[in-house]
Amino acid sequence: METGLQAILEHLGVEDPELLENTPKRWAQSLEELLKGRLEKAPNLRCFKSKAGTGDMIVKAGLRAVSLCPHHCLPYLLEADFAYIPQGSLVVGISKPGRLLSWVASRFTLQEEIGPLFLQEFQKQVNPLGSIIVLRGLHLCEGIRGSKQNNSVTVTVASKGLFTKEESCKREFWRLLEGAHNFSKFSL
């Protein structure tokens, strides 16, 4: 991999010996880090029994991840809002949706595939009554080349269970997100 990038850099006219020697190593390490999800098992989505558990909706807003466009090998930045309705009193650990999103995103994949893959793994491990994810992506392949639309955001939505069957669940999700996004203007 490093030899290939060194040849590309030379073809592009790079002559600096330090860049020709070290940039391919750094690039290969970066790529391995960005694509590690394809080599790792899915994170364990550990559940806990909640004393207050009533099966009410739980929302995680503002999750973030980075993925790589399979067409251009350029990164895109993701922000996600996610909700699920637990079966009874079992709730997933608070950090687990973020870990799952990072795992799903760390591979060459289309944004349109991340939501369904995320929900498939979440449903398999947690078995909620329903789940939904909204992904907003800022794609560098569109922002720094081609149409150069560097403020254009792509939005995708995927849902399972009650969020697919019950319109009232989706409405409640969107209502709760409004409040979450107002709160997220504050930072810790």
Side-chain angles (χ1 to χ4, degrees), residues 4-37:
L5 182 60
Q6 185 174 6
I8 291 169
L9 292 173
E10 288 170 349
H11 175 76
L12 294 172
V14 174
E15 296 175 353
D16 183 324
E18 194 281 328
L19 291 179
L20 289 172
E21 181 181 342
N22 294 317
T23 297
K25 292 175 193 168
R26 288 189 294 263
W27 176 78
Q29 290 169 342
S30 296
L31 205 53
E32 287 295 326
E33 182 181 337
L34 288 168
L35 299 173
K36 68 182 178 187

mmCIF file of all heavy atoms in Angstrom, residues 4-37:
data_model
loop_
_atom_site.group_PDB
_atom_site.id
_atom_site.type_symbol
_atom_site.label_atom_id
_atom_site.label_comp_id
_atom_site.label_asym_id
_atom_site.label_seq_id
_atom_site.Cartn_x
_atom_site.Cartn_y
_atom_site.Cartn_z
ATOM 1 N N GLY A 4 2.594 1.861 -3.346
ATOM 2 C CA GLY A 4 1.647 2.391 -4.325
ATOM 3 C C GLY A 4 1.447 3.881 -4.169
ATOM 4 O O GLY A 4 1.452 4.636 -5.157
ATOM 5 N N LEU A 5 1.284 4.354 -2.925
ATOM 6 C CA LEU A 5 1.095 5.787 -2.708
ATOM 7 C C LEU A 5 2.374 6.555 -3.041
ATOM 8 O O LEU A 5 2.318 7.641 -3.609
ATOM 9 C CB LEU A 5 0.650 6.104 -1.284
ATOM 10 C CG LEU A 5 0.392 7.597 -1.052
ATOM 11 C CD1 LEU A 5 -0.704 8.133 -1.966
ATOM 12 C CD2 LEU A 5 0.061 7.889 0.383
ATOM 13 N N GLN A 6 3.520 5.989 -2.723
ATOM 14 C CA GLN A 6 4.780 6.663 -3.056
ATOM 15 C C GLN A 6 4.873 6.852 -4.574
ATOM 16 O O GLN A 6 5.265 7.923 -5.054
ATOM 17 C CB GLN A 6 5.976 5.865 -2.547
ATOM 18 C CG GLN A 6 7.280 6.583 -2.753
ATOM 19 C CD GLN A 6 8.450 5.862 -2.116
ATOM 20 O OE1 GLN A 6 8.322 4.758 -1.609
ATOM 21 N NE2 GLN A 6 9.606 6.498 -2.139
ATOM 22 N N ALA A 7 4.481 5.835 -5.345
ATOM 23 C CA ALA A 7 4.504 5.945 -6.809
ATOM 24 C C ALA A 7 3.537 7.027 -7.285
ATOM 25 O O ALA A 7 3.860 7.800 -8.203
ATOM 26 C CB ALA A 7 4.159 4.598 -7.436
ATOM 27 N N ILE A 8 2.367 7.130 -6.649
ATOM 28 C CA ILE A 8 1.396 8.168 -7.017
ATOM 29 C C ILE A 8 1.964 9.550 -6.721
ATOM 30 O O ILE A 8 1.875 10.457 -7.551
ATOM 31 C CB ILE A 8 0.053 7.947 -6.274
ATOM 32 C CG1 ILE A 8 -0.638 6.690 -6.808
ATOM 33 C CG2 ILE A 8 -0.862 9.167 -6.413
ATOM 34 C CD1 ILE A 8 -1.823 6.234 -5.978
ATOM 35 N N LEU A 9 2.565 9.706 -5.538
ATOM 36 C CA LEU A 9 3.155 11.001 -5.179
ATOM 37 C C LEU A 9 4.255 11.396 -6.160
ATOM 38 O O LEU A 9 4.338 12.556 -6.589
ATOM 39 C CB LEU A 9 3.698 10.964 -3.747
ATOM 40 C CG LEU A 9 2.654 10.850 -2.636
ATOM 41 C CD1 LEU A 9 3.328 10.645 -1.284
ATOM 42 C CD2 LEU A 9 1.742 12.070 -2.606
ATOM 43 N N GLU A 10 5.104 10.439 -6.531
ATOM 44 C CA GLU A 10 6.160 10.723 -7.511
ATOM 45 C C GLU A 10 5.556 11.117 -8.849
ATOM 46 O O GLU A 10 6.022 12.052 -9.505
ATOM 47 C CB GLU A 10 7.081 9.511 -7.655
ATOM 48 C CG GLU A 10 7.973 9.304 -6.442
ATOM 49 C CD GLU A 10 8.718 7.980 -6.467
ATOM 50 O OE1 GLU A 10 8.421 7.104 -7.310
ATOM 51 O OE2 GLU A 10 9.606 7.806 -5.606
ATOM 52 N N HIS A 11 4.505 10.424 -9.265
ATOM 53 C CA HIS A 11 3.816 10.738 -10.524
ATOM 54 C C HIS A 11 3.240 12.157 -10.490
ATOM 55 O O HIS A 11 3.210 12.848 -11.510
ATOM 56 C CB HIS A 11 2.709 9.713 -10.787
ATOM 57 C CG HIS A 11 1.885 10.016 -11.992
ATOM 58 N ND1 HIS A 11 2.341 9.798 -13.275
ATOM 59 C CD2 HIS A 11 0.644 10.547 -12.113
ATOM 60 C CE1 HIS A 11 1.405 10.177 -14.134
ATOM 61 N NE2 HIS A 11 0.371 10.631 -13.456
ATOM 62 N N LEU A 12 2.803 12.596 -9.302
ATOM 63 C CA LEU A 12 2.236 13.937 -9.158
ATOM 64 C C LEU A 12 3.303 15.016 -8.998
ATOM 65 O O LEU A 12 2.985 16.190 -8.835
ATOM 66 C CB LEU A 12 1.274 13.975 -7.959
ATOM 67 C CG LEU A 12 0.008 13.133 -8.109
ATOM 68 C CD1 LEU A 12 -0.775 13.095 -6.803
ATOM 69 C CD2 LEU A 12 -0.865 13.673 -9.243
ATOM 70 N N GLY A 13 4.564 14.625 -9.020
ATOM 71 C CA GLY A 13 5.650 15.597 -8.988
ATOM 72 C C GLY A 13 6.208 15.909 -7.613
ATOM 73 O O GLY A 13 6.985 16.846 -7.466
ATOM 74 N N VAL A 14 5.836 15.136 -6.606
ATOM 75 C CA VAL A 14 6.390 15.357 -5.264
ATOM 76 C C VAL A 14 7.840 14.883 -5.279
ATOM 77 O O VAL A 14 8.138 13.750 -5.674
ATOM 78 C CB VAL A 14 5.571 14.592 -4.191
ATOM 79 C CG1 VAL A 14 6.238 14.697 -2.831
ATOM 80 C CG2 VAL A 14 4.142 15.116 -4.140
ATOM 81 N N GLU A 15 8.738 15.758 -4.820
ATOM 82 C CA GLU A 15 10.161 15.414 -4.826
ATOM 83 C C GLU A 15 10.775 15.394 -3.435
ATOM 84 O O GLU A 15 11.857 14.851 -3.244
ATOM 85 C CB GLU A 15 10.929 16.412 -5.705
ATOM 86 C CG GLU A 15 10.522 16.339 -7.167
ATOM 87 C CD GLU A 15 11.193 17.404 -8.014
ATOM 88 O OE1 GLU A 15 11.883 18.291 -7.456
ATOM 89 O OE2 GLU A 15 11.025 17.359 -9.247
ATOM 90 N N ASP A 16 10.104 15.988 -2.461
ATOM 91 C CA ASP A 16 10.624 16.086 -1.095
ATOM 92 C C ASP A 16 10.828 14.677 -0.525
ATOM 93 O O ASP A 16 9.875 13.916 -0.373
ATOM 94 C CB ASP A 16 9.630 16.876 -0.241
ATOM 95 C CG ASP A 16 10.107 17.094 1.180
ATOM 96 O OD1 ASP A 16 10.762 16.208 1.757
ATOM 97 O OD2 ASP A 16 9.794 18.174 1.731
ATOM 98 N N PRO A 17 12.084 14.305 -0.199
ATOM 99 C CA PRO A 17 12.371 12.955 0.305
ATOM 100 C C PRO A 17 11.598 12.596 1.577
ATOM 101 O O PRO A 17 11.159 11.471 1.744
ATOM 102 C CB PRO A 17 13.880 12.963 0.573
ATOM 103 C CG PRO A 17 14.428 14.154 -0.117
ATOM 104 C CD PRO A 17 13.304 15.114 -0.308
ATOM 105 N N GLU A 18 11.434 13.575 2.477
ATOM 106 C CA GLU A 18 10.701 13.304 3.719
ATOM 107 C C GLU A 18 9.256 12.940 3.408
ATOM 108 O O GLU A 18 8.698 11.998 3.975
ATOM 109 C CB GLU A 18 10.766 14.531 4.652
ATOM 110 C CG GLU A 18 10.330 14.258 6.094
ATOM 111 C CD GLU A 18 8.825 14.208 6.315
ATOM 112 O OE1 GLU A 18 8.085 14.924 5.621
ATOM 113 O OE2 GLU A 18 8.399 13.424 7.172
ATOM 114 N N LEU A 19 8.635 13.674 2.504
ATOM 115 C CA LEU A 19 7.246 13.378 2.126
ATOM 116 C C LEU A 19 7.147 12.021 1.433
ATOM 117 O O LEU A 19 6.227 11.248 1.701
ATOM 118 C CB LEU A 19 6.691 14.477 1.222
ATOM 119 C CG LEU A 19 6.463 15.837 1.863
ATOM 120 C CD1 LEU A 19 5.923 16.832 0.837
ATOM 121 C CD2 LEU A 19 5.517 15.735 3.040
ATOM 122 N N LEU A 20 8.082 11.732 0.538
ATOM 123 C CA LEU A 20 8.041 10.458 -0.182
ATOM 124 C C LEU A 20 8.266 9.269 0.746
ATOM 125 O O LEU A 20 7.727 8.195 0.527
ATOM 126 C CB LEU A 20 9.070 10.454 -1.314
ATOM 127 C CG LEU A 20 8.737 11.367 -2.490
ATOM 128 C CD1 LEU A 20 9.922 11.428 -3.458
ATOM 129 C CD2 LEU A 20 7.484 10.903 -3.214
ATOM 130 N N GLU A 21 9.043 9.474 1.810
ATOM 131 C CA GLU A 21 9.329 8.369 2.733
ATOM 132 C C GLU A 21 8.237 8.207 3.798
ATOM 133 O O GLU A 21 7.792 7.097 4.058
ATOM 134 C CB GLU A 21 10.675 8.599 3.421
ATOM 135 C CG GLU A 21 11.029 7.470 4.384
ATOM 136 C CD GLU A 21 12.349 7.704 5.100
ATOM 137 O OE1 GLU A 21 13.154 8.531 4.647
ATOM 138 O OE2 GLU A 21 12.553 7.047 6.118
ATOM 139 N N ASN A 22 7.813 9.320 4.403
ATOM 140 C CA ASN A 22 6.937 9.221 5.576
ATOM 141 C C ASN A 22 5.449 9.362 5.294
ATOM 142 O O ASN A 22 4.636 8.780 6.010
ATOM 143 C CB ASN A 22 7.373 10.243 6.634
ATOM 144 C CG ASN A 22 8.753 9.899 7.169
ATOM 145 O OD1 ASN A 22 9.050 8.744 7.436
ATOM 146 N ND2 ASN A 22 9.608 10.906 7.311
ATOM 147 N N THR A 23 5.073 10.137 4.281
ATOM 148 C CA THR A 23 3.646 10.322 3.994
ATOM 149 C C THR A 23 2.951 8.999 3.671
ATOM 150 O O THR A 23 1.858 8.754 4.187
ATOM 151 C CB THR A 23 3.448 11.355 2.875
ATOM 152 O OG1 THR A 23 3.956 12.615 3.346
ATOM 153 C CG2 THR A 23 1.990 11.508 2.502
ATOM 154 N N PRO A 24 3.530 8.123 2.855
ATOM 155 C CA PRO A 24 2.850 6.849 2.591
ATOM 156 C C PRO A 24 2.603 6.019 3.867
ATOM 157 O O PRO A 24 1.570 5.374 3.992
ATOM 158 C CB PRO A 24 3.792 6.131 1.626
ATOM 159 C CG PRO A 24 4.497 7.243 0.913
ATOM 160 C CD PRO A 24 4.698 8.293 1.981
ATOM 161 N N LYS A 25 3.544 6.065 4.820
ATOM 162 C CA LYS A 25 3.354 5.341 6.094
ATOM 163 C C LYS A 25 2.191 5.932 6.876
ATOM 164 O O LYS A 25 1.336 5.203 7.392
ATOM 165 C CB LYS A 25 4.631 5.407 6.945
ATOM 166 C CG LYS A 25 5.802 4.652 6.389
ATOM 167 C CD LYS A 25 7.042 4.884 7.245
ATOM 168 C CE LYS A 25 8.280 4.386 6.527
ATOM 169 N NZ LYS A 25 9.509 4.825 7.165
ATOM 170 N N ARG A 26 2.190 7.251 6.994
ATOM 171 C CA ARG A 26 1.110 7.919 7.750
ATOM 172 C C ARG A 26 -0.235 7.679 7.078
ATOM 173 O O ARG A 26 -1.244 7.452 7.747
ATOM 174 C CB ARG A 26 1.397 9.418 7.866
ATOM 175 C CG ARG A 26 2.528 9.749 8.826
ATOM 176 C CD ARG A 26 2.628 11.253 9.061
ATOM 177 N NE ARG A 26 3.010 11.983 7.877
ATOM 178 C CZ ARG A 26 4.257 12.366 7.585
ATOM 179 N NH1 ARG A 26 5.246 12.088 8.414
ATOM 180 N NH2 ARG A 26 4.505 13.039 6.484
ATOM 181 N N TRP A 27 -0.266 7.741 5.749
ATOM 182 C CA TRP A 27 -1.503 7.525 5.004
ATOM 183 C C TRP A 27 -2.015 6.110 5.237
ATOM 184 O O TRP A 27 -3.207 5.913 5.493
ATOM 185 C CB TRP A 27 -1.260 7.779 3.512
ATOM 186 C CG TRP A 27 -2.454 7.492 2.655
ATOM 187 C CD1 TRP A 27 -3.551 8.283 2.493
ATOM 188 C CD2 TRP A 27 -2.661 6.338 1.848
ATOM 189 N NE1 TRP A 27 -4.423 7.684 1.636
ATOM 190 C CE2 TRP A 27 -3.905 6.486 1.223
ATOM 191 C CE3 TRP A 27 -1.909 5.196 1.595
ATOM 192 C CZ2 TRP A 27 -4.426 5.541 0.357
ATOM 193 C CZ3 TRP A 27 -2.418 4.243 0.747
ATOM 194 C CH2 TRP A 27 -3.668 4.413 0.127
ATOM 195 N N ALA A 28 -1.132 5.125 5.165
ATOM 196 C CA ALA A 28 -1.538 3.727 5.380
ATOM 197 C C ALA A 28 -2.080 3.536 6.793
ATOM 198 O O ALA A 28 -3.100 2.862 6.990
ATOM 199 C CB ALA A 28 -0.358 2.793 5.113
ATOM 200 N N GLN A 29 -1.429 4.138 7.788
ATOM 201 C CA GLN A 29 -1.907 4.036 9.176
ATOM 202 C C GLN A 29 -3.280 4.699 9.318
ATOM 203 O O GLN A 29 -4.166 4.159 9.998
ATOM 204 C CB GLN A 29 -0.904 4.686 10.146
ATOM 205 C CG GLN A 29 0.381 3.909 10.289
ATOM 206 C CD GLN A 29 1.455 4.696 11.044
ATOM 207 O OE1 GLN A 29 1.382 5.913 11.188
ATOM 208 N NE2 GLN A 29 2.472 3.973 11.513
ATOM 209 N N SER A 30 -3.457 5.844 8.699
ATOM 210 C CA SER A 30 -4.748 6.538 8.760
ATOM 211 C C SER A 30 -5.854 5.699 8.131
ATOM 212 O O SER A 30 -6.953 5.589 8.678
ATOM 213 C CB SER A 30 -4.672 7.884 8.028
ATOM 214 O OG SER A 30 -3.768 8.733 8.659
ATOM 215 N N LEU A 31 -5.561 5.124 6.986
ATOM 216 C CA LEU A 31 -6.552 4.309 6.298
ATOM 217 C C LEU A 31 -6.928 3.085 7.127
ATOM 218 O O LEU A 31 -8.110 2.743 7.245
ATOM 219 C CB LEU A 31 -6.007 3.890 4.926
ATOM 220 C CG LEU A 31 -7.013 3.557 3.846
ATOM 221 C CD1 LEU A 31 -8.024 4.671 3.661
ATOM 222 C CD2 LEU A 31 -6.320 3.257 2.545
ATOM 223 N N GLU A 32 -5.943 2.434 7.724
ATOM 224 C CA GLU A 32 -6.221 1.280 8.592
ATOM 225 C C GLU A 32 -7.131 1.686 9.746
ATOM 226 O O GLU A 32 -8.057 0.962 10.099
ATOM 227 C CB GLU A 32 -4.922 0.676 9.126
ATOM 228 C CG GLU A 32 -4.122 -0.087 8.093
ATOM 229 C CD GLU A 32 -4.836 -1.331 7.572
ATOM 230 O OE1 GLU A 32 -5.567 -1.989 8.339
ATOM 231 O OE2 GLU A 32 -4.658 -1.638 6.377
ATOM 232 N N GLU A 33 -6.856 2.843 10.341
ATOM 233 C CA GLU A 33 -7.678 3.316 11.459
ATOM 234 C C GLU A 33 -9.101 3.623 11.001
ATOM 235 O O GLU A 33 -10.071 3.252 11.665
ATOM 236 C CB GLU A 33 -7.047 4.559 12.078
ATOM 237 C CG GLU A 33 -7.807 5.085 13.273
ATOM 238 C CD GLU A 33 -7.180 6.332 13.872
ATOM 239 O OE1 GLU A 33 -5.970 6.568 13.681
ATOM 240 O OE2 GLU A 33 -7.914 7.078 14.536
ATOM 241 N N LEU A 34 -9.244 4.306 9.871
ATOM 242 C CA LEU A 34 -10.568 4.671 9.374
ATOM 243 C C LEU A 34 -11.395 3.465 8.945
ATOM 244 O O LEU A 34 -12.622 3.526 8.941
ATOM 245 C CB LEU A 34 -10.437 5.644 8.196
ATOM 246 C CG LEU A 34 -9.999 7.059 8.558
ATOM 247 C CD1 LEU A 34 -9.620 7.838 7.304
ATOM 248 C CD2 LEU A 34 -11.095 7.778 9.334
ATOM 249 N N LEU A 35 -10.733 2.369 8.589
ATOM 250 C CA LEU A 35 -11.438 1.189 8.069
ATOM 251 C C LEU A 35 -11.423 0.003 9.029
ATOM 252 O O LEU A 35 -11.730 -1.114 8.639
ATOM 253 C CB LEU A 35 -10.820 0.779 6.725
ATOM 254 C CG LEU A 35 -10.903 1.822 5.619
ATOM 255 C CD1 LEU A 35 -10.112 1.381 4.404
ATOM 256 C CD2 LEU A 35 -12.341 2.105 5.254
ATOM 257 N N LYS A 36 -11.108 0.230 10.293
ATOM 258 C CA LYS A 36 -10.944 -0.879 11.243
ATOM 259 C C LYS A 36 -12.234 -1.651 11.515
ATOM 260 O O LYS A 36 -12.179 -2.800 11.932
ATOM 261 C CB LYS A 36 -10.336 -0.384 12.540
ATOM 262 C CG LYS A 36 -11.233 0.515 13.341
ATOM 263 C CD LYS A 36 -10.563 1.008 14.601
ATOM 264 C CE LYS A 36 -11.525 1.949 15.311
ATOM 265 N NZ LYS A 36 -10.936 2.601 16.425
ATOM 266 N N GLY A 37 -13.386 -1.060 11.275
ATOM 267 C CA GLY A 37 -14.655 -1.735 11.540
ATOM 268 C C GLY A 37 -14.831 -3.022 10.763
ATOM 269 O O GLY A 37 -15.472 -3.961 11.227
#
